[in-house]
Amino acid sequence: MGVTRSFFIALSKNQALNSGAKKWGLKLGAGKVVAGTDINSMMQSVKELNANGIGATIDNLGEFVRTKEEAIQAKEAILETLEAIQVYGVNAHMSVKLTQIGLDVDFAFSLKNIQEIVAAAARYDIFINLDMEDYAHLQQTLDILEALLKEYDNVGTVIQAYLYRSEKDIENLQNVRLRLVKGAYKESEEVSLQDKEEIDDNYLKLIKIHLQSSGYTSIATHDHHIIEEVKAFVKEKNIPLNSFEFQMLYGFRTEMQKDLAKEGYSFTTYVPFGQDWYAYYMRRLAERPQNINLALKSFVSK
């Protein structure tokens, strides 16, 4: 399983395959987990979620940005999506990767771009989540978050439970809206836990810490054992249901998503869309190897 995960993570970083995938359309089974390649098709998916009492966090997919021109194009696409959220009147916010808007080009340049995005979102009363990427980008992401929080309150980020430093980071961000995840990148044992059980234990620990802070908590997991433990914990501690939400990825455990919303829990689905879907999809295959059969069947059928 470890070899399979490493294989698909390596594929996710292949720029040649990523470029080719833009020409394929949503093939290899990607259409199951990516909500279309344009705003209109994605918004229809968001409307369906809203009809079931589920909100959305929208990710306008894009990776391998190496020039200012590419970063500006990505920024404009994100601003267009923000405007569409307002025009369509859907219950949604946005998740943004800082590398997509120039973090690997120039720090100050990317900060300027995200400031423009967060300012536009604030005018629409829309929240912006800074997606956390690999460990190499972690501190820069937190530095940008710190700069944004001096001026805006409609911004937060993601904390990954497999990193040793995450408990300290949560303590430093206890008043901030955070999405808590286990972690999807392959990191070294110097900076991250490697054992699944240890990661699960730390994940629950971090969830419980942030649930008892003043910051809103987004619990992003498909693990029903963790979900049940969270339910029991919030009931025991009388934690208000409006102080947290569950999150899952678009296309995964859709019936459970609906059931949790029906039970009265706030629920948000992570909705990726766009032509630049390849790297995102490879990481999903790395996390859930059972989807490989689906991808292979789709590939063979083409």
Side-chain angles (χ1 to χ4, degrees):
M1 192 72 75
V3 173
T4 302
R5 184 169 187 268
S6 299
F7 174 70
F8 279 99
I9 289 176
L11 284 180
S12 76
K13 298 177 181 179
N14 188 303
Q15 295 187 41
L17 288 174
N18 184 72
S19 297
K22 293 179 182 179
K23 303 173 186 176
W24 303 338
L26 289 175
K27 297 179 180 178
L28 306 180
K32 301 288 187 181
V33 298
V34 177
T37 56
D38 58 62
I39 286 178
N40 184 62
S41 58
M42 175 272 293
M43 281 294 175
Q44 300 313 310
S45 298
V46 172
K47 283 183 176 181
E48 290 179 18
L49 291 169
N50 287 178
N52 286 291
I54 296 171
T57 180
I58 299 169
D59 180 3
N60 194 333
L61 294 169
E63 305 199 34
F64 306 113
V65 172
R66 293 290 183 267
T67 69
K68 287 189 175 182
E69 290 74 20
E70 290 172 325
I72 290 170
Q73 288 176 1
K75 178 192 70 176
E76 294 300 328
I78 291 166
L79 291 172
E80 183 182 0
T81 307
L82 282 172
E83 185 175 351
I85 291 172
Q86 177 77 3
V87 170
Y88 280 78
V90 292
N91 174 18
H93 64 269
M94 287 202 71
S95 292
V96 177
K97 283 184 172 58
L98 291 175
T99 56
Q100 186 182 5
I101 54 171
L103 185 58
D104 286 336
V105 178
D106 178 77
F107 181 90
F109 170 71
S110 65
L111 175 57
K112 182 176 180 293
N113 285 336
I114 193 63
Q115 285 173 328
E116 186 176 343
I117 290 168
V118 173
R123 291 194 293 272
Y124 294 135
D125 194 26
I126 295 173
F127 175 72
I128 296 292
N129 187 82
L130 305 182
D131 266 352
M132 192 58 72
E133 302 179 64
D134 61 8
Y135 189 79
H137 295 98
L138 187 153
Q139 190 56 53
Q140 289 178 306
T141 301
L142 294 181
D143 290 344
I144 285 178
L145 176 64
E146 182 180 4
L148 292 169
L149 288 171
K150 292 176 181 177
E151 190 172 357
Y152 303 100
D153 60 5
N154 64 318
V155 62
T157 192
V158 181
I159 297 297
Q160 301 171 111
Y162 63 179
L163 298 178
Y164 296 128
R165 61 173 286 176
S166 290
E167 184 172 352
K168 184 176 180 181
D169 288 335
I170 280 190
E171 289 173 0
N172 293 335
L173 297 168
Q174 57 184 299
N175 301 321
V176 178
R177 178 171 177 169
L178 297 177
R179 177 195 296 151
L180 305 184
V181 302
K182 292 182 184 181
Y185 295 86
K186 184 173 176 59
E187 304 292 359
S188 72
E189 59 185 15
E190 283 75 27
V191 300
S192 70
L193 297 165
Q194 304 293 312
D195 180 74
K196 181 185 182 303
E197 188 173 332
E198 290 181 346
I199 294 171
D200 287 355
D201 289 344
N202 199 48
Y203 185 45
L204 272 168
K205 179 182 180 182
L206 298 183
I207 290 170
K208 291 175 181 179
I209 289 172
H210 201 59
L211 280 172
Q212 296 178 92
S213 73
S214 57
Y216 191 80
T217 308
S218 297
I219 302 160
T221 183
H222 302 113
D223 188 329
H224 62 278
H225 296 296
I226 286 176
I227 290 169
E228 290 303 318
E229 186 151 349
V230 170
K231 286 182 182 180
F233 181 77
V234 297
K235 184 175 182 180
E236 175 192 349
K237 299 293 184 180
N238 293 314
I239 293 171
L241 295 186
N242 63 1
S243 68
F244 73 96
E245 67 182 6
F246 291 110
Q247 286 192 7
M248 290 184 190
L249 299 172
Y250 178 79
F252 293 86
R253 310 204 78 162
T254 53
E255 290 307 313
M256 181 182 286
Q257 294 190 27
K258 294 175 185 177
D259 289 344
L260 285 165
K262 288 176 184 176
E263 290 173 29
Y265 294 100
S266 297
F267 199 97
T268 293
T269 298
Y270 190 96
V271 179
F273 83 103
Q275 294 183 347
D276 204 356
W277 53 267
Y278 168 80
Y280 172 85
Y281 183 48
M282 289 300 107
R283 287 197 295 273
R284 299 294 77 79
L285 290 180
E287 290 174 344
R288 295 174 63 84
Q290 57 265 50
N291 290 325
I292 295 170
N293 286 336
L294 174 66
L296 290 176
K297 287 178 183 176
S298 178
F299 181 74
V300 171
S301 71
K302 302 298 178 185

